[in-house]
Amino acid sequence: MTAQAATLTTAPVSDSATDPCTIVIFGASGDLTARKLMPALYNLALDGRLPPGLAVVGYSRTKWSNDAFREEARKNVEEHSRRPLDPEVWDSFASGLFYSYGGYDDPEGHDRLNEKLREVEAERGIGGNRLYYLAVPPTTFVDIIEQLGRCREQSAAGESWSRVIIEKPFGVDLASARELNRVVHTVFSEDDVYRIDHYLGKETVQNILVFRFANGIMEPIWNRRYVDHVQITVSESLGVGHRGSYYDGSGALRDMVQNHIMQLLALIAMEPPLAIDGLSVRDEKVKVLNAVRLFDNDEVALATARGQYGPGWVAGEEAPAYRAEEGVPDDSRTETFAAMRLFIDSWRWAGVPFYLRTGKRLPKRSTEIAITFKPAPQLLFQDFVDEPHLEPNVLSIRIQPNEGISLKFLTKVPGSPPRLRPAAMDFLYGTSFVIQSPSAYETLLLDALQGDATLFTRSDEVVAAWTIMDRVLNGWHSMPPLELPNYEAGTWGPAAADELIERDGRKWRKL
Amino acid sequence: MAQALDSEGRELSWTGRSVDIDRIEAELTKLRYLTAGDADAGESLAIRTSLANMVVLAEDDETAAQASRVIEDLAAHHPSRALIVIARPSEDESRIETSLAAHCHLAPGLDQHVCCEEVTLHVSGRAAFHLHSIIVPLLIPDLPVVVWWTGPLPAESHLIEELCGLADHFVVDSSRFTDLGDLSRMREVAALHDCAIGDLNYERLRSWRDLVERHTGAGGLGEWISSVKSAEIRFTQQAKQTPAQAILFLAWLAVHCGWELDSATAGGSNRLTLRQDKREIPVYLEPVKYEGVDRGWLVSIKLAFERDGEAALLSVSRTGDPLLITVRTELPDGVREEHVRIEACDSQTVLMHQLDTAPHDPEFVRLLIAAAPLIQAARA
Ligand SMILES: NC(=O)c1ccc[n+]([C@@H]2O[C@H](COP(=O)([O-])OP(=O)(O)OC[C@H]3O[C@@H](n4cnc5c(N)ncnc54)[C@H](OP(=O)(O)O)[C@@H]3O)[C@@H](O)[C@H]2O)c1
């Protein structure tokens, strides 16, 4: 198996499948552009995978010239690219970088941008295909979309296509997500909207579908008969860093659960799609999200937990309390940890709990999905184990770090008296493939250029995920205020998270 | 930073000063890739079969180096990711110095290497008070965690508690304790966290216990077991410390013979008194000089019996060769002598026994609970 076969891209990618076009980045002076987008585009250039003549036009309020933008981009690529800068490739790539400045809601700025785009397109002979990337804070999404609509009306687009990539967060609750969908759809048809969740661009996330549906032994046991429960953990050891003021308006549920964790849940729990394409895969994901049992306020109290970190030690370094982080108010009530138990009311999953948890300033960075299978009957080996029950088999899919899959099973310790002990059969993704995996943004940018939306979130998926989360947010809102902070930085979250799972006679995995 | 290359030019070790955990993790991942071989080049992949995380708390570089050798020798049987931690809390600057290495062995009968990673961490300054926060991120998820505490226990239990919280099996060596009361403290902390406790020092008594058990059973001195008149336990001299091994053996013996442990009283130097059915049994704990045996280890035990006016004796003692034990039984109908070669008691062997057996050893825990008054009396 090659690394390519392990991705969801159905046909082998050939450069000719990508039409000549221009990428327009809104927020070109920002962090995402610097750390992710420019390095990703450069790496695609290095692999010769960008469409011929591609132009990248940056737009933001910062007053840069083309040269200043190129200089900035070079610095960022040197600092953040996964491979070193090759001067020859860079020169050719940089000759396609342009910049135009203006406000996001400023018609003049957008007119200037359009003028520039027409010039560049004519000069490079690349027609009018455009991929707009909204790498800006979400408060500016609507302004930009409206301006794009206005400009489009002025110029009959003809045969060429216009697509838009929209960064997360897509809305802050169900109502705002629906409203954003409405605005977006006034300008773009759903087929041209690429809501990005960079988790879906990760090789191992895509590999979930390959693992599940390309291996005959998995599907027969992937159901309530064999699976005891599923745990999804996205733990971060870092705090909010310089994103304090953004994060404080969001919190763990909106920042992680509504998007990344819901996507992981959907991929793990969905039914086999008819084909690996944007329509079939996303249809199945929506179905499973719609089957998640919605909480009422009582269940929110029983089956969810939230917390905020106080000071502590993480990875050998002293960590301040969340409320002491830059940009965070000292009386903030924002949750930096969220955990919950969900049920999926489907034939496949009835009665199987899905435990989800995420948090900041936890002891280590780790994203994994663990499927715990029902244990074998004790009968034969009860004298050979220390525990009252045989340890169950656990299949864990590690998304990061050390991407891979491991299966825990019981084995006999050599010698006598006979004793059983768990061992892990470990597949480390990187060790089996010699080529380095592309970054999530490389994969997703290339997919968007090629018009493949499989790895992007559809409007109904966003609505389905927000529908689940809205109930949790409402429940939390109606509960008496919690004593915060309620967990020490460097621990696995508040006691309530342990109680949530221990009430069911289970434990969070030791990660 | 130093780098070592293997014969194929692969970098198999790494050293970094003042590094953060992310960097260590990244280097560990690199090491795993390097030891995995190149599948596309037709190289067979090395098997990485860590069955446990082994966290060693070492007092100094010398102990760390010894522990590293032990773990490497155990790797074929108990492949584990080893974290060897040396804390230097008295230093001013808070920092972590790290070296990584992969130990690879050719798997018997296979054309493949079995590789385990070893991480050595020197933690200085305030970070040394928060070792837990450094250890947790470096553990392989979901595998049992064995903590091997090689030295004396610290007076303050905070770190022990944290480590018990993450460990499945906490192994100490009470021969290194300055106060045997620490064994009781350790047991209490471990019980709170549902963590199994093991003691290499008690493990070293395995052959001695087996021999006494065998000779005081049916066909030996079985009928005499409840008629011990006095006991003498000799051990190699050590400075100031409580003779941990002798006391642990005495505790085991007392349980074995049915003596009342809570009756233990100190009676002058090196003498304890226990009771059985109101009868007093004097026990002499005698330090002696003995070459070739570590300090504090048993040299001999002697049990004198008296029943219906008749006397008997069991003596188990080292004779010259430290691993050769002579067992002598003197019964009214004659004298018997047997020479037995016992297993070595080096750290590797006793640790291997600990890892081979079920970590939860209820007999040992019961013994520790029962022995508390004895330990108390011995300290007096
Ligand atoms: N950074 C990441 O790693 C990351 C990861 C996942 C998702 N995202 C998402 O990607 C988008 C961009 O993130 P980012 O980190 O690049 O953001 P950013 O650096 O804060 O903002 C991008 C650019 O937008 C402009 N801007 C900033 N605040 C503004 C405001 N209040 N009003 C109008 N313009 C403003 C600034 O450019 P000018 O002042 O020059 O106009 C800035 O350079 C966000 O939606 C974020 O949620 C980012």
Side-chain angles (χ1 to χ4, degrees):
Chain A
M1 180 154 122
T2 68
Q4 256 179 32
T7 75
L8 270 185
T9 321
T10 36
V13 184
S14 83
D15 299 334
S16 59
T18 316
D19 303 325
C21 72
T22 304
I23 300 178
V24 183
I25 302 178
F26 292 100
S29 60
D31 179 67
L32 184 75
T33 307
R35 289 193 306 112
K36 303 290 180 187
L37 302 186
M38 279 302 162
L41 286 169
Y42 169 73
N43 274 281
L44 288 172
L46 204 56
D47 290 335
R49 309 194 87 183
L50 290 176
L54 174 97
V56 178
V57 180
Y59 183 89
S60 55
R61 297 170 307 182
T62 303
K63 290 189 176 166
W64 278 339
S65 62
N66 285 346
D67 283 345
F69 180 52
R70 287 172 189 169
E71 198 39 50
E72 199 64 26
R74 184 186 176 114
K75 257 188 351 220
N76 293 324
V77 168
E78 277 170 346
E79 194 174 342
H80 301 293
S81 165
R82 66 186 167 90
R83 290 176 293 185
L85 187 135
D86 173 329
E88 219 171 287
V89 176
W90 172 258
D91 287 346
S92 143
F93 174 70
S95 68
L97 298 182
F98 304 90
Y99 186 79
S100 180
Y101 63 83
Y104 301 109
D105 59 350
D106 169 21
E108 272 178 39
H110 281 269
D111 288 342
R112 262 202 314 276
L113 169 66
N114 260 297
E115 194 51 41
K116 178 120 190 176
L117 285 168
R118 278 194 287 269
E119 264 171 48
V120 168
E121 284 161 355
E123 198 180 297
R124 298 176 74 84
I126 49 176
N129 295 324
R130 291 179 192 170
L131 175 62
Y132 298 104
Y133 199 122
L134 307 196
V136 277
T139 44
T140 59
F141 287 171
V142 168
D143 290 337
I144 296 174
I145 304 267
E146 283 174 356
Q147 288 302 321
L148 288 177
R150 184 184 64 80
C151 294
R152 175 158 339 150
E153 276 165 22
Q154 290 169 0
S155 62
E159 291 291 288
S160 52
W161 49 256
S162 287
R163 299 175 190 144
V164 62
I165 300 184
I166 305 179
E167 264 296 340
K168 72 160 205 177
F170 198 89
V172 294
D173 55 17
L174 181 57
S176 58
R178 281 197 165 126
E179 173 57 16
L180 187 53
N181 270 336
R182 190 193 63 74
V183 172
V184 170
H185 289 152
T186 58
V187 180
F188 294 93
S189 76
E190 179 60 27
D191 287 349
D192 292 325
V193 183
Y194 293 71
R195 292 173 198 78
I196 204 162
D197 183 327
H198 70 270
Y199 260 53
L200 291 178
K202 289 178 185 284
E203 293 278 326
T204 22
V205 172
Q206 298 164 51
N207 201 32
I208 294 172
L209 291 192
V210 179
F211 183 71
R212 281 192 60 191
F213 301 125
N215 293 298
I217 59 167
M218 289 303 151
E219 263 320 278
I221 56 168
W222 211 262
N223 55 50
R224 61 189 299 270
R225 255 187 97 175
Y226 297 97
V227 175
D228 177 77
H229 74 281
V230 177
Q231 291 188 24
I232 303 180
T233 302
V234 179
S235 74
E236 297 178 281
S237 55
L238 295 177
V240 286
H242 59 276
R243 290 175 68 226
S245 70
Y246 159 73
Y247 189 88
D248 201 60
S250 158
L253 196 82
R254 291 184 172 100
D255 193 50
M256 278 287 174
V257 186
Q258 183 275 335
N259 37 55
H260 305 322
I261 296 189
M262 283 297 119
Q263 286 297 324
L264 296 180
L265 175 81
L267 290 173
I268 279 296
M270 67 191 261
E271 295 298 320
L274 289 176
I276 299 292
D277 59 34
L279 182 71
S280 314
V281 170
R282 297 194 297 179
D283 278 352
E284 293 307 331
K285 278 162 59 188
V286 173
K287 278 191 217 163
V288 81
L289 290 175
N290 282 333
V292 170
R293 192 186 302 166
L294 298 179
F295 288 111
D296 60 26
N297 286 357
D298 288 346
E299 280 158 350
V300 170
L302 206 68
T304 73
R306 68 201 144 128
Q308 187 191 83
Y309 60 86
W313 280 73
V314 184
E317 286 177 15
E318 200 162 8
Y322 173 69
R323 288 173 177 179
E325 301 266 22
E326 181 195 321
V328 176
D330 3 332
D331 58 351
S332 167
R333 305 207 56 76
T334 301
E335 85 283 354
T336 58
F337 178 95
M340 67 188 66
R341 183 195 60 192
L342 294 180
F343 284 104
I344 296 173
D345 288 331
S346 67
W347 187 262
R348 183 189 287 263
W349 294 116
V352 177
F354 286 74
Y355 299 97
L356 321 176
R357 65 174 163 166
T358 182
K360 291 202 171 286
R361 289 285 189 217
L362 301 186
K364 71 197 292 187
R365 179 174 75 107
S366 173
T367 299
E368 73 140 47
I369 302 164
I371 293 114
T372 300
F373 292 91
K374 293 187 171 161
Q378 181 83 357
L379 300 172
L380 295 176
F381 298 105
Q382 53 203 9
D383 296 339
F384 307 156
V385 286
D386 311 330
E387 309 297 330
H389 303 289
L390 288 182
E391 272 210 47
N393 297 117
V394 180
L395 180 80
S396 57
I397 301 174
R398 288 186 306 276
I399 311 292
Q400 64 184 20
N402 301 327
E403 293 85 344
I405 294 171
S406 85
L407 176 67
K408 188 164 84 167
F409 55 94
L410 282 172
T411 172
K412 182 180 172 299
V413 180
S416 59
R419 209 184 126 212
L420 305 188
R421 191 169 55 182
M425 202 151 66
D426 220 356
F427 161 72
L428 195 62
Y429 200 65
T431 55
S432 294
F433 307 113
V434 178
I435 58 161
Q436 229 185 20
S437 299
S439 74
Y441 280 91
E442 284 169 55
T443 305
L444 295 171
L445 274 166
L446 195 60
D447 281 4
L449 286 169
Q450 291 172 336
D452 181 351
T454 313
L455 300 178
F456 294 83
T457 321
R458 215 167 54 188
S459 62
D460 49 355
E461 268 180 89
V462 172
V463 167
W466 271 122
T467 305
I468 303 163
M469 292 306 129
D470 243 25
R471 296 292 191 101
V472 180
L473 288 169
N474 293 342
W476 285 353
H477 198 66
S478 69
M479 281 157 70
L482 278 182
E483 190 80 28
L484 295 175
N486 61 354
Y487 72 97
E488 195 182 318
T491 64
W492 285 107
D498 291 330
E499 289 157 15
L500 176 147
I501 194 167
E502 282 166 13
R503 271 198 291 274
D504 296 347
R506 301 186 176 94
K507 275 182 181 298
W508 292 111
R509 278 163 54 75
K510 273 190 186 177
L511 294 179
Chain B
M1 269 178 219
Q3 292 175 347
L5 302 180
D6 73 354
S7 56
E8 287 152 22
R10 287 190 297 212
E11 188 189 314
L12 288 181
S13 69
W14 172 85
T15 305
R17 293 171 71 86
S18 293
V19 289
D20 60 29
I21 297 292
D22 282 352
R23 183 73 206 278
I24 302 173
E25 262 190 343
E27 292 297 333
L28 262 174
T29 306
K30 217 153 89 184
L31 200 66
R32 289 168 110 187
Y33 288 159
L34 284 165
T35 53
D38 180 347
D40 280 11
E43 274 180 37
S44 54
L45 295 180
I47 317 171
R48 264 187 342 91
T49 40
S50 289
L51 291 180
N53 294 288
M54 171 78 81
V55 181
V56 182
L57 277 297
E59 301 156 270
D60 49 36
D61 288 339
E62 197 187 323
T63 325
Q66 281 165 3
S68 165
R69 281 193 293 275
V70 168
I71 290 165
E72 195 179 342
D73 288 346
L74 285 178
H77 236 81
H78 294 280
S80 35
R81 167 174 294 179
L83 308 180
I84 302 180
V85 186
I86 304 124
R88 295 168 175 158
S90 57
E91 286 185 17
D92 289 341
E93 197 191 343
S94 193
R95 66 181 174 153
I96 309 170
E97 269 174 46
T98 311
S99 56
L100 306 183
H103 297 307
C104 298
H105 301 259
L106 206 56
L110 290 173
D111 181 21
Q112 281 179 314
H113 280 88
V114 176
C115 292
C116 314
E117 310 97 358
E118 183 180 290
V119 185
T120 307
L121 300 154
H122 286 92
V123 186
S124 333
R126 293 183 63 214
F129 293 101
H130 302 276
L131 294 179
H132 179 259
S133 78
I134 297 163
I135 292 168
V136 174
L138 297 175
L139 299 174
I140 300 180
D142 207 29
L143 282 184
V145 179
V146 180
V147 170
W148 176 19
W149 188 283
T150 57
L153 281 199
E156 208 263 309
S157 293
H158 176 70
L159 177 59
I160 303 285
E161 283 185 23
E162 282 189 335
L163 293 176
C164 276
L166 67 91
D168 298 275
H169 190 176
F170 200 115
V171 181
V172 296
D173 185 347
S174 65
S175 71
R176 304 290 327 280
F177 287 6
T178 39
D179 177 357
L180 196 55
D182 284 345
L183 207 47
S184 302
R185 178 158 64 101
M186 187 64 237
R187 182 195 60 74
E188 281 162 20
V189 176
L192 274 180
H193 293 274
D194 194 24
C195 159
I197 171 177
D199 178 8
L200 299 186
N201 205 25
Y202 185 67
E203 194 63 57
R204 289 184 194 107
L205 293 170
R206 185 184 284 263
S207 305
W208 295 79
R209 289 183 272 134
D210 287 350
L211 286 172
V212 171
E213 203 159 22
R214 184 144 60 84
H215 286 89
T216 52
L221 287 153
E223 294 162 11
W224 297 77
I225 187 100
S226 54
S227 319
V228 177
K229 189 177 149 218
S230 66
E232 178 195 274
I233 301 174
R234 292 175 162 206
F235 55 94
T236 50
Q237 216 159 22
Q238 57 185 156
K240 283 194 215 144
Q241 273 157 297
T242 325
Q245 205 174 90
I247 301 221
L248 279 174
F249 186 79
L250 173 58
W252 174 82
L253 187 67
V255 170
H256 178 65
C257 299
W259 304 344
E260 293 152 27
L261 273 154
D262 53 4
S263 69
T265 49
S269 69
N270 303 334
R271 194 187 138 159
L272 287 167
T273 306
L274 283 96
R275 275 173 211 282
Q276 185 174 35
D277 302 331
K278 296 192 183 136
R279 200 166 49 80
E280 285 195 347
I281 305 163
V283 180
Y284 302 91
L285 299 174
E286 200 176 328
V288 294
K289 283 200 171 146
Y290 201 91
E291 291 299 310
V293 176
D294 280 17
R295 284 164 182 239
W297 289 17
L298 291 196
V299 172
S300 68
I301 51 178
K302 210 178 268 178
L303 296 178
F305 304 87
E306 192 176 65
R307 196 176 63 139
D308 304 331
E310 287 190 309
L313 189 82
L314 170 69
S315 98
V316 182
S317 52
R318 296 191 200 260
T319 31
D321 176 346
L323 294 184
L324 198 62
I325 303 280
T326 301
V327 184
R328 185 182 165 88
T329 46
E330 295 177 16
L331 283 158
D333 60 356
V335 174
R336 252 175 287 159
E337 211 168 75
E338 184 189 345
H339 303 287
V340 183
R341 178 157 288 279
I342 61 168
E343 217 177 16
C345 290
D346 55 275
S347 301
Q348 186 197 328
T349 312
V350 284
L351 188 60
M352 172 103 106
H353 277 307
Q354 275 285 310
L355 301 179
D356 277 346
T357 49
H360 277 283
D361 180 354
E363 196 179 294
F364 178 56
V365 171
R366 275 196 299 274
L367 182 88
L368 286 184
I369 295 170
L374 181 69
I375 292 170
Q376 196 59 34
R379 286 158 97 192

